[in-house]
Amino acid sequence: MTVAAERLGRLVPAEFAERSASRRFLPRGAGPAPTSNPPPKASLSYLALARKYRPRRFAEVTTQEHVSETLRRAVAGGRVGHAYLFCGPRGVGKTTLARILAMALNCPRRTAEGEPCGRCDDCARIWGGHTSLDVVEIDAASNRGVDDARELRERAMYAPSEEARFKVYILDEAHMLTREAWNALLKILEEPPPRVIFVFATTEARKIRQTASPILSRCQRFDFRRIGTADIMNRLGEVLDTEGVPFDPEALRAVARKANGGMRDGLSLLDQVLALSDEEVSVDSVVRVLGVVAEERYLELFDLVAERRHGAVFDFVEGLIDEGHDLVEFYHGLAEKLRLLLRTSLDPGFAPGSMTSELREAFARRAAAFAPGDLVRMLAMSSALESDGSLRRTGRPRVLVEMLLLRMSYLDRTVELEEVIRALGGAPAADPASPGPAPGPNPSAAPRVRSRAESPEPASGSAVPASGGAARGSPAAPAPGRLRGAWRELVADGGRFGPGLKMALLAATAVDETGEGELTLRIPRGPFAERLRDPSVRRKLEAALALHAGRDSAKISIVAGDDGRGAAEHAPSSSRTGADTVRATRLRELVRGAPHLETAVTELDLELVD
C-alpha cells in the first residue's frame, strides 16, 4: 500500500472505503435491479399554440387592420415614427405587432410593401423574443424605476449595429413605469437619436394619462380592439386544421366566448382542451375543461321560467352545482342568452352565424314564448345583479342566482294597454257627425282651462271692443284695459318665473296704463318692490306682458309706497276692489305681523289660500 493509500485510509472511514471499493469493481450493468419502470422522458420542446401560431407578418394579424396596415404603409414609405403607444386589452396583438414592426425594419429580405419575410435569422430571433443587439424588449413591471429609465436612455444613444438597421425598444406594461421614470424619458422621446424607435404597450392607458400625460403628445397612439368571437373561431379552426385535429364548431364557439376577445387566451384555452382530448375537440371536453354551461341547460331554464315552475328553480341550481359548474360563469352566460332571446324576439330574421340551425330554431321557439317587455325586464334584473356589485362581493352566489331565477319565474306577463281596454269592453269612439249635448250649465262638468291665447275677462269699468281686440303682433294700439288684463294672465302664470316671484306679482296692483304700451304697478315697499325693480326680472316681465297683450313690446313702471298709499293718486277712479287686491292686502298684513313669514314666502314660493 502506497503512502497516498495509507493517508486515504486514515481520512476515509473503513466501511465507506469498503463500500467504495466493492462498488468500484462491480461489472457494468450488474447493479441491483430497478424496483419500477423509469418514467418516460418528458418532452421539453413543446411550443404552446399561442407562441407557435403567433403572426409573423402584418397581414396575419386579426382584427387590428387599422394598426397593421398603417404600420406596414409607414415602413414601406419610410414614414415610421420615433415613438408609438399601443393600447388595448390583453391578448389582442400589441406585443406581436411591436415585434413585427421591429422585424420589418431590420429584415434584409423585406418586401416592397413593407412586409418582413419572417423566416431569416434576424426575423426568427426577434419573433422569438431572444436577445438581439438592435431589438430590446423590456418588462416595465420589473424595470420601472428612474435608474432603469436612465440606463435605457444611455443605451439608446448608441447607434445600431449596422447602418441600414434600426434600434427598437419595446416596453411592455408601460403603465407600470413611475412618474420619475417617465420624466427621465421625456427628453429622449422629444429629441430621439437617429434610427431609434420606442414602442410602449399597455393595457391601462388611463394610468399613463394620470402619471405622465406629456408622453401622449410625443407618441403616436393606436387603440387595439377586442377580437370578435367569429374571428377567434376562424383562427382556432385554422390552427386545428394545421394540427390535424377534428373539432366541433360548437365547441370552438364556447372556447371563443370564454376567451372574451383575446386571441392569446383563446389559443391557451384550446391548449387546455387538447391536453385532455387530443383526438377531437368536442363540446363535452370543452365543458369539462373550461366549466362552461351547455346551451341545453339555458334552454331548460327558459322552459322552466315560461311554465312558471317556481319550485323547480332550486333543483335546477342544485343540478348545476352537482355538475361542477361555476355559478358566476353561469350568470354571465345567462345574461348573454337573454340578450340573444331579446334580439331574436325583436328581429325574427336575426340568425347568429356561429350557431347551428337546430340551436337557432330552439332559441327562436323560446323567444316566442316571451313578450319583448318580459325579456327586457328579465335582462334588466340580471344586469342589476352585476351592476350593484353584490355578485362580486358575496362568497355564496347560490342564493343570489336562485333569487334572480325565482324573480324571473314570478314575473307577471307584460300586457299592452290596448288589450286591457278591449278586455274591459273599450270606450265608445267619438262620432264627429253626432250632435253634441245641448248647451247649458253643467255643474258636474270639469272646469274649463283657459289658454293664454284667449282674452281674459275685461276689468270692471273697461270697455271691450266688438272686434275682439287687435290681432297679436299687430302694431295697432290695443284696446283700453288690455295691458291690465294681460297682467292678470301673467300673474296667474307667475310660477314659471322662479321661486318667490309669484308672491311679488300678487302683491303688485296694476293702477294705470297708457296708449304707448306702458303699465304702472303699485307695490308696497319691501323685498317685493326690490325684486320687481331688478333689471333682469323687469325685462322678463315686460317680455311676458307683451306676449300676453299681443304687442311687440311693453314697459312696466314701479311705484312703491307704504301699503300702496304713495301711488294712490295714479289709480283710476273707476277701479274696484277685486279678489286679487283683497288677497294682496291680506298678504301684506300677514307679512307685516310675522317677519319670518316674509322670508318663507320669498324662498318657498308660498301662496295665500282662502
Side-chain angles (χ1 to χ4, degrees), residues 85-103:
L85 178 61
F86 291 169
C87 310
R90 58 187 176 90
V92 295
K94 298 185 297 296
T95 307
T96 297
L97 266 176
R99 290 183 180 179
I100 295 177
L101 176 62
M103 290 163 56

Side-chain angles (χ1 to χ4, degrees), residues 285-456:
S285 60
V286 171
V287 170
R288 290 172 58 190
V289 174
L290 306 183
V292 297
V293 183
E295 307 287 352
E296 289 74 12
R297 298 293 280 160
Y298 292 107
L299 296 175
E300 177 186 349
L301 172 64
F302 294 142
D303 291 338
L304 182 150
V305 173
E307 297 169 5
R308 301 292 191 269
R309 291 187 281 131
H310 314 300
V313 168
F314 299 98
D315 296 333
F316 178 81
V317 176
E318 186 73 25
L320 290 178
I321 297 176
D322 292 342
E323 294 171 7
H325 293 298
D326 183 9
L327 292 183
V328 177
E329 179 68 25
F330 162 76
Y331 161 76
H332 291 299
L334 174 62
E336 183 181 348
K337 297 305 179 294
L338 285 174
R339 177 185 174 276
L340 177 61
L341 285 184
L342 178 59
R343 186 170 180 182
T344 305
S345 177
L346 296 177
D347 184 10
F350 170 72
S354 57
M355 272 190 176
T356 61
S357 58
E358 295 81 4
L359 201 56
R360 286 198 297 267
E361 293 176 0
F363 273 95
R365 289 195 301 270
R366 270 67 176 189
F370 298 94
D374 297 333
L375 295 175
V376 169
R377 288 193 286 170
M378 292 164 63
L379 186 58
M381 278 190 274
S382 62
S383 301
L385 190 61
E386 184 178 16
S387 61
D388 61 8
S390 57
L391 191 64
R392 294 189 301 269
R393 293 192 301 266
T394 183
R396 302 177 60 188
R398 175 175 181 172
V399 177
L400 295 179
V401 172
E402 287 178 345
M403 290 303 300
L404 173 63
L405 301 184
L406 281 174
R407 290 173 61 192
M408 290 182 180
S409 65
Y410 276 103
L411 188 67
D412 294 332
R413 292 181 57 86
T414 301
V415 181
E416 297 290 340
L417 185 59
E418 289 80 2
E419 297 180 9
V420 177
I421 295 176
R422 286 194 295 268
L424 295 176
D431 187 4
S434 62
N442 185 6
S444 63
R448 180 173 177 268
V449 180
R450 185 180 62 198
S451 64
R452 296 183 187 176
E454 298 175 352
S455 301

Side-chain angles (χ1 to χ4, degrees), residues 186-327:
L186 277 178
K187 188 62 176 177
I188 194 172
L189 288 178
E190 188 171 5
E191 299 178 1
R195 311 184 74 82
V196 174
I197 296 173
F198 292 91
V199 180
F200 302 99
T202 178
T203 56
E204 301 184 40
R206 59 180 181 83
K207 289 188 176 181
I208 298 180
R209 182 180 297 275
Q210 296 170 357
T211 307
S213 56
I215 293 295
L216 302 178
S217 62
R218 291 166 170 83
C219 302
Q220 295 185 28
R221 174 171 174 171
F222 290 96
D223 291 302
F224 286 64
R225 304 168 184 152
R226 289 188 180 274
I227 304 176
T229 303
D231 292 333
I232 297 178
M233 285 183 59
N234 294 336
R235 182 58 177 168
L236 297 182
E238 294 173 359
V239 169
L240 291 177
D241 289 338
T242 305
E243 295 288 327
V245 179
F247 59 89
D248 185 351
E250 196 62 30
L252 293 190
R253 191 174 72 88
V255 174
R257 282 180 40 245
K258 183 74 172 180
N260 194 24
M263 184 65 74
R264 184 178 64 227
D265 292 350
L267 291 171
S268 299
L269 293 174
L270 184 61
D271 246 340
Q272 292 181 243
V273 176
L274 289 176
L276 175 67
S277 175
D278 56 356
E279 297 181 356
E280 181 183 4
V281 178
S282 61
V283 176
D284 294 337
S285 60
V286 171
V287 170
R288 290 172 58 190
V289 174
L290 306 183
V292 297
V293 183
E295 307 287 352
E296 289 74 12
R297 298 293 280 160
Y298 292 107
L299 296 175
E300 177 186 349
L301 172 64
F302 294 142
D303 291 338
L304 182 150
V305 173
E307 297 169 5
R308 301 292 191 269
R309 291 187 281 131
H310 314 300
V313 168
F314 299 98
D315 296 333
F316 178 81
V317 176
E318 186 73 25
L320 290 178
I321 297 176
D322 292 342
E323 294 171 7
H325 293 298
D326 183 9
L327 292 183

Side-chain angles (χ1 to χ4, degrees), residues 30-229:
T35 58
S36 61
N37 295 327
K41 185 178 180 180
S43 176
L44 301 178
S45 60
Y46 176 74
L47 194 62
L49 295 180
R51 297 181 58 197
K52 183 177 181 180
Y53 291 95
R54 170 175 279 181
R56 295 174 181 260
R57 302 170 72 249
F58 289 116
E60 297 176 0
V61 180
T62 306
T63 305
Q64 315 300 341
E65 289 81 6
H66 64 292
V67 182
S68 59
E69 186 66 17
T70 303
L71 295 177
R72 185 188 64 79
R73 290 176 178 268
V75 172
R79 302 179 61 88
V80 179
H82 66 277
Y84 291 97
L85 178 61
F86 291 169
C87 310
R90 58 187 176 90
V92 295
K94 298 185 297 296
T95 307
T96 297
L97 266 176
R99 290 183 180 179
I100 295 177
L101 176 62
M103 290 163 56
L105 291 174
N106 296 300
C107 179
R109 293 184 285 181
R110 183 181 68 207
T111 64
E113 291 79 17
E115 289 280 9
C117 69
R119 300 298 176 185
C120 64
D121 293 340
D122 293 331
C123 291
R125 185 175 295 276
I126 296 172
W127 179 82
H130 303 303
T131 304
S132 176
L133 290 176
D134 297 324
V135 180
V136 180
E137 287 195 33
I138 301 174
D139 180 20
S142 55
N143 301 275
R144 59 193 302 264
V146 63
D147 295 333
D148 301 311
R150 288 171 179 166
E151 181 182 354
L152 173 61
R153 183 180 60 188
E154 293 173 359
R155 292 170 58 184
M157 299 305 294
Y158 294 100
S161 59
E162 297 180 12
E163 184 177 356
R165 297 175 66 87
F166 286 81
K167 297 191 71 172
V168 182
Y169 292 93
I170 302 174
L171 278 78
D172 204 3
E173 302 297 333
H175 61 274
M176 297 296 291
L177 290 177
T178 62
R179 187 185 301 271
E180 293 76 12
W182 282 118
N183 292 336
L185 293 175
L186 277 178
K187 188 62 176 177
I188 194 172
L189 288 178
E190 188 171 5
E191 299 178 1
R195 311 184 74 82
V196 174
I197 296 173
F198 292 91
V199 180
F200 302 99
T202 178
T203 56
E204 301 184 40
R206 59 180 181 83
K207 289 188 176 181
I208 298 180
R209 182 180 297 275
Q210 296 170 357
T211 307
S213 56
I215 293 295
L216 302 178
S217 62
R218 291 166 170 83
C219 302
Q220 295 185 28
R221 174 171 174 171
F222 290 96
D223 291 302
F224 286 64
R225 304 168 184 152
R226 289 188 180 274
I227 304 176
T229 303

